[in-house]
Amino acid sequence: MSRYGKRDDLIVHESEPFNAETGLTSLGTPLTDTDAFYVRGHGAIPETDPESWRLQVAGLVERELSLSFGTLREAFRERTVTATLQCAGNRRAGLMAVRDIPGEAPWGPGATGTATWTGVALAEVLALARPLETASDVGFEGADLSPETEPTERFGGSIPLDKASRPEVLLAWAMNGERLTPVHGAPVRVVVPGYIGARSVKWLERIELRSEPWAGHFQHVAYRLVPADEKPGPGVGMPLGLVALNSDLLSPRDGETVQAGPVEARGYAFAGGDRYVARVDVSIDGGVSWSQAELLEDLGRWAWRHWRITLSLAPGEHEILVRAWDSSAATQPDDEAGLWNPKGYVNNARPRIRVRAVHASS
Amino acid sequence: MSRYGKRDDLIVHESEPFNAETGLTSLGTPLTDTDAFYVRGHGAIPETDPESWRLQVAGLVERELSLSFGTLREAFRERTVTATLQCAGNRRAGLMAVRDIPGEAPWGPGATGTATWTGVALAEVLALARPLETASDVGFEGADLSPETEPTERFGGSIPLDKASRPEVLLAWAMNGERLTPVHGAPVRVVVPGYIGARSVKWLERIELRSEPWAGHFQHVAYRLVPADEKPGPGVGMPLGLVALNSDLLSPRDGETVQAGPVEARGYAFAGGDRYVARVDVSIDGGVSWSQAELLEDLGRWAWRHWRITLSLAPGEHEILVRAWDSSAATQPDDEAGLWNPKGYVNNARPRIRVRAVHASS
């Protein structure tokens, strides 16, 4: 066991604050085990006693609320949603191979995972607080202080009220059927399916109804797609929110040597927003022709989709290229270099790996 | 004036049934004039007397309805929505340049347009009919018979009940402030913002609550994205629905000769679904570097966004390349050839034109 009850095969990018991604093997199951699930944090993990924890609901509401953990569980209907979380920095390593991104972690394809989340619908809590007509955004503030900001700031972010009113957005206290662990936001975190992980605020303490998006660092400065030739800063670039269509190849691995003949390729695809994965194609001729992968277990509209395909590889060098399609019939962009951006977010280029197929040594 | 009260500059692909796209110049305004708006039809235009017209609401409902035009206007609140319609075959000409698509019209960038639509929310009509728990899809059937089907079939299609329950989906009788003309679906058509034009069924006569998507030709056979190496047929390929992120360059035109120096480029971008256009980039060095275009008038979340940029073109040949970004930070795919499909739908490749810049002849 590594720290925080995590498996040893996590790839730790930073130990304090703890930032670690799921190992390739552990990404291969439809639901990601909790002890293998990625962790992205911006400060020390706050330890909160559920007995003394309170959730404040404030801002543009008719009635401010202060709810205990007990009230949250008693007053509202318990719901479970299967949802993929994906960090906006997932697959950043591919962009860093194009050009360095100093100060950011080289996340591979494991800054994502899928779990069942149990809690109550944020919408029901908001209904009790009665948002004013002027409210358009719902902000979340955690208990974690981030030394990345000057002055020190609690982590936070917001989503549109329209999304917050949908039944899939949860205030969750359980993950994969067990109470949230401290590293995943205990006692209560937000889970915003279809949105970048940064909006699923952990160690939630305050909900603020607002007339504009969150003005804090982690939405107004960070987690924005900045054009390649601009410098990150307050309000620069487009705010991230919905996850963009993405996919990756988990097996075989880049640079692997495989036996020539039938080779199974596997991976995941995630449509983001409220879209679903409609198709995944694989090419071994540089994108001239494509074969359709088999889509595996369907975990519902908020989850990734695993896929597999059997390729026939002659002895020699091969490039395996993947593209996913979402339910709007949009597919991924091809040019990873053209997606480079100063903070290294949203690398959703078509995954591309090289393998070497050799004759069986029998 | 050409037929059906249309301007002469429409590009007519078929005269019977009438199929014509908006000319490039007329695409350049934020709202598309009604007499310049594209027309996509699959049969002769039915002439209906609003006095005798009735709208049936049937299928999985507690209460079937038969509504007159007068009742529709009196019983529900009038709403106006500005929405872009876009045919799934928009920009097919680009795919046909890759490989021919027999039997399909070579639509350019003008199978799209934006208008204000006035009518009532479909959701309010459905509330009166009270959909059963088993209803998941809302089908629309027009009065138009299509000779393309065997046996002859009325045009129709469906959308998910979830979308049909949103306030932007209209049963519309007016376009750009004037009563619908026969060619645009009089007396009443559906308008489904963010969806392919085929779901905005014209000459609406029947709404059917269903437990599965529309089984008719125009959803079960046509308007599906079929893989390049498969043959279109019932249920083959993915059903289209949401419009995929798209854009095009309206000026300068491909092959045009322009004066060297500052050259203004203009075009449109449309995010589709309920997404918005977050950014449009233009490159004149083959995608190595990109400049951001200025986004023009914001007509709201259901409409395209026009854009413009001033490029500095030295004398010589240039390629102008465009990519739009939606609010999930997804951008368009690059390879038009890789998007080729047997019915020629959803060409949303990055637009690319060539111009020749010459010294002023002064």
Side-chain angles (χ1 to χ4, degrees):
Chain A
M1 278 288 172
S2 115
R3 288 169 69 200
Y4 302 108
K6 290 289 175 183
R7 285 184 199 167
D8 284 334
D9 74 341
L10 259 74
I11 300 153
V12 178
H13 292 295
E14 199 176 0
S15 59
E16 194 58 56
F18 188 62
N19 279 283
E21 71 175 282
T22 306
L24 271 180
T25 306
S26 301
L27 282 173
T29 54
L31 285 175
T32 314
D33 292 331
T34 301
D35 65 359
F37 210 93
Y38 83 99
V39 176
R40 172 76 179 108
H42 292 272
I45 289 164
E47 298 280 347
T48 306
D49 176 10
E51 292 302 310
S52 60
W53 177 86
R54 296 195 81 81
L55 174 63
Q56 311 296 328
V57 184
L60 302 173
V61 293
E62 278 187 38
R63 181 180 167 225
E64 296 204 339
L65 304 176
S66 173
L67 304 173
S68 71
F69 187 59
T71 299
L72 199 68
R73 297 195 60 167
E74 281 183 22
F76 307 100
R77 182 160 77 84
E78 187 176 292
R79 292 164 192 262
T80 295
V81 171
T82 301
T84 297
L85 293 189
Q86 187 162 115
C87 178
N90 192 44
R91 301 183 65 210
R92 178 183 287 136
L95 300 181
M96 293 174 87
V98 173
R99 187 169 11 141
D100 194 23
I101 301 173
E104 300 289 340
W107 297 94
T112 188
T114 301
T116 65
W117 307 94
T118 301
V120 298
L122 168 63
E124 291 190 29
V125 176
L126 295 183
L128 208 67
R130 296 195 300 274
L132 300 178
E133 277 286 321
T134 48
S136 59
D137 297 81
V138 182
F140 310 117
E141 194 174 61
D144 49 329
L145 284 160
S146 175
E148 295 171 27
T149 57
E150 180 56 46
T152 299
E153 191 179 298
R154 283 162 170 248
F155 188 82
S158 68
I159 60 173
L161 176 55
D162 187 53
K163 173 69 176 177
S165 306
R166 309 282 291 181
E168 69 271 11
V169 181
L170 297 186
L171 306 182
W173 54 74
M175 176 180 182
N176 289 330
E178 296 183 348
R179 284 284 288 272
L180 277 183
T181 55
V183 78
H184 285 298
V188 173
R189 72 175 298 169
V190 189
V191 174
V192 187
Y195 275 61
I196 58 168
R199 301 296 177 258
S200 289
V201 171
K202 297 191 284 282
W203 312 292
L204 181 68
E205 289 202 339
R206 204 166 69 88
I207 294 175
E208 184 184 290
L209 277 287
R210 304 168 52 84
S211 61
E212 52 185 19
W214 193 251
H217 177 84
F218 296 100
Q219 188 155 340
H220 195 57
V221 182
Y223 294 109
R224 300 179 77 95
L225 193 78
V226 174
D229 56 354
E230 290 186 32
K231 218 180 127 170
V236 177
M238 75 172 88
L240 301 176
L242 303 177
V243 172
L245 173 67
N246 211 338
S247 69
D248 213 349
L249 222 149
L250 301 173
S251 167
R253 302 183 185 198
D254 190 32
E256 193 173 331
T257 297
V258 298
Q259 285 206 355
V263 173
E264 185 179 74
R266 283 178 167 265
Y268 66 72
F270 184 49
D274 57 1
R275 299 185 175 181
Y276 61 87
V277 174
R279 201 171 101 195
V280 173
D281 297 339
V282 180
S283 174
I284 52 171
D285 61 6
V288 177
S289 68
W290 298 87
S291 299
Q292 279 182 77
E294 178 191 356
L295 298 182
L296 304 177
E297 192 172 350
D298 184 356
L299 297 168
R301 74 192 288 193
W302 306 113
W304 63 13
R305 198 80 189 259
H306 277 82
W307 53 266
R308 79 168 159 220
I309 189 170
T310 302
L311 304 170
S312 180
L313 299 186
E317 298 282 338
H318 296 275
E319 186 181 65
I320 306 177
L321 186 58
V322 178
R323 63 177 183 185
W325 300 76
D326 74 14
S327 43
S328 81
T331 188
Q332 299 175 250
D334 198 18
D335 64 330
E336 198 163 38
L339 298 183
W340 191 93
N341 62 91
K343 295 282 283 181
Y345 294 127
V346 198
N347 180 11
N348 74 333
R350 300 177 183 180
R352 187 187 287 268
I353 65 157
R354 297 196 69 83
V355 296
R356 184 180 164 77
V358 295
H359 280 298
S361 55
S362 64
Chain B
M1 279 289 173
S2 113
R3 287 169 68 200
Y4 302 109
K6 290 290 176 183
R7 286 185 199 167
D8 284 334
D9 74 342
L10 258 74
I11 300 152
V12 177
H13 292 296
E14 201 176 0
S15 58
E16 193 58 56
F18 188 62
N19 280 283
E21 73 176 281
T22 305
L24 272 181
T25 306
S26 301
L27 282 173
T29 55
L31 287 174
T32 314
D33 292 331
T34 301
D35 65 359
F37 210 93
Y38 82 99
V39 176
R40 172 74 179 110
H42 292 271
I45 289 164
E47 298 278 348
T48 306
D49 176 10
E51 292 302 310
S52 60
W53 177 85
R54 296 196 81 80
L55 173 63
Q56 310 296 327
V57 184
L60 301 173
V61 292
E62 278 186 39
R63 180 178 169 227
E64 297 205 338
L65 305 175
S66 173
L67 304 173
S68 70
F69 188 60
T71 299
L72 199 69
R73 297 194 61 168
E74 280 182 22
F76 308 99
R77 182 160 76 85
E78 186 175 292
R79 291 166 191 262
T80 295
V81 172
T82 301
T84 296
L85 294 188
Q86 187 162 115
C87 179
N90 191 45
R91 301 182 64 209
R92 178 182 288 137
L95 300 180
M96 294 174 86
V98 173
R99 189 169 11 139
D100 194 23
I101 301 172
E104 300 290 340
W107 296 94
T112 188
T114 301
T116 66
W117 307 93
T118 301
V120 298
L122 170 61
E124 291 191 28
V125 175
L126 296 183
L128 209 67
R130 297 194 300 273
L132 300 178
E133 278 286 321
T134 48
S136 58
D137 296 82
V138 181
F140 310 116
E141 194 173 62
D144 50 329
L145 284 159
S146 174
E148 295 171 25
T149 59
E150 178 58 46
T152 299
E153 192 180 300
R154 282 161 172 249
F155 188 83
S158 67
I159 60 173
L161 177 55
D162 187 55
K163 173 69 177 178
S165 305
R166 310 281 291 181
E168 69 271 10
V169 181
L170 298 185
L171 306 181
W173 56 74
M175 175 181 183
N176 289 331
E178 294 184 349
R179 283 285 288 273
L180 277 182
T181 55
V183 78
H184 285 297
V188 173
R189 71 175 300 170
V190 190
V191 173
V192 187
Y195 275 62
I196 59 168
R199 301 296 177 256
S200 289
V201 171
K202 297 191 285 282
W203 312 292
L204 181 69
E205 289 203 337
R206 203 166 70 88
I207 295 174
E208 186 185 289
L209 277 287
R210 304 168 53 84
S211 60
E212 52 185 19
W214 193 251
H217 177 84
F218 296 100
Q219 187 154 339
H220 195 58
V221 182
Y223 294 109
R224 299 180 77 94
L225 193 78
V226 174
D229 56 354
E230 290 187 31
K231 218 180 126 170
V236 176
M238 75 171 87
L240 301 177
L242 304 177
V243 171
L245 173 67
N246 211 337
S247 70
D248 213 347
L249 222 150
L250 300 174
S251 168
R253 304 186 183 194
D254 191 31
E256 193 173 332
T257 297
V258 297
Q259 285 205 358
V263 172
E264 185 178 76
R266 284 179 166 263
Y268 66 71
F270 184 48
D274 58 1
R275 298 185 176 181
Y276 59 87
V277 174
R279 201 170 102 196
V280 174
D281 297 338
V282 180
S283 175
I284 53 171
D285 60 6
V288 176
S289 68
W290 298 87
S291 299
Q292 281 183 75
E294 176 191 358
L295 299 181
L296 304 177
E297 193 171 351
D298 184 355
L299 297 168
R301 74 192 288 194
W302 306 114
W304 63 14
R305 199 81 189 256
H306 278 81
W307 53 266
R308 77 167 160 222
I309 190 170
T310 301
L311 305 170
S312 180
L313 299 186
E317 297 282 337
H318 296 276
E319 185 181 66
I320 306 177
L321 187 57
V322 178
R323 63 176 185 186
W325 300 76
D326 74 14
S327 43
S328 81
T331 187
Q332 299 176 249
D334 198 17
D335 64 329
E336 198 162 38
L339 299 182
W340 189 94
N341 63 90
K343 296 281 284 182
Y345 295 127
V346 197
N347 180 12
N348 74 334
R350 299 177 184 181
R352 188 185 285 268
I353 65 157
R354 296 196 70 82
V355 295
R356 184 182 165 75
V358 295
H359 280 298
S361 54
S362 64

